[in-house]
Amino acid sequence: KRWPSANIVIFEPLPENITQIEENLKANNLSAVIHPYCLGGEAGEAVFYRRKANTGGLASVRLLPFNSTTTTKVVRLSDMVKNPSEKKCLIKLDIEGAEVDVIEDYLRIPRPNTVIIGEYHFSEQKQRLISILKRAGWNIDFWDEVEISASFLAKPDGLIL
């Protein structure tokens, strides 16, 4: 509601979550394009591990048991969001383990007016994420760090919010 002219694009592979998203959008008088598949570093198909609504994902995490699996279409963010470099873009990523692969692919070209906020998962991914962002000329701030995840805000060096 704060940015009424914003285009909202959502990626969600689970039908029950899509239903909830549609109800929330309707209750808030918002519209969005909802794609019923996952984001990943490579396009194709992959196994999606079903867990609780906020922990399912493409990663078969040894620490988190899963209830079932399903096969889902996977797309690259870079193929789906092709905003011009002068247009402002805010990306919220909370995709339970695929964030670093998605960011690495997305930042293969300059994104001078893009900000990414989200969570990374798995402590071994932190240094890889930092390296990818530094290589792209971006900086990152972390908060709420715990053993397997942290929230972050990443943006190009010099971009003023």
Side-chain angles (χ1 to χ4, degrees), residues 108-122:
R108 291 188 197 277
I109 66 169
R111 310 282 183 176
N113 289 304
T114 298
V115 173
I116 301 174
I117 189 166
E119 291 181 339
Y120 78 83
H121 295 81
F122 320 122

Side-chain angles (χ1 to χ4, degrees), residues 2 6 19 26 32-33 41 46 51 59 67 69 94 105 113-114 153:
R2 183 176 287 178
T19 300
K26 184 177 180 181
V33 175
R51 299 179 180 93
N67 304 323
T69 63
D94 186 3
D105 175 67
N113 289 304
T114 298
L153 184 139

Side-chain angles (χ1 to χ4, degrees), residues 112-158:
N113 289 304
T114 298
V115 173
I116 301 174
I117 189 166
E119 291 181 339
Y120 78 83
H121 295 81
F122 320 122
S123 56
E124 61 270 17
Q125 293 281 29
K126 182 177 182 179
Q127 288 308 313
R128 182 173 164 232
L129 176 59
I130 291 169
S131 295
I132 291 164
L133 293 167
K134 281 187 178 185
R135 209 171 35 243
W138 283 43
N139 59 55
I140 187 167
D141 292 312
F142 297 100
W143 67 94
D144 292 338
E145 290 190 68
V146 295
E147 183 179 346
I148 64 166
S149 69
S151 298
F152 69 86
L153 184 139
K155 63 183 183 66
D157 289 338

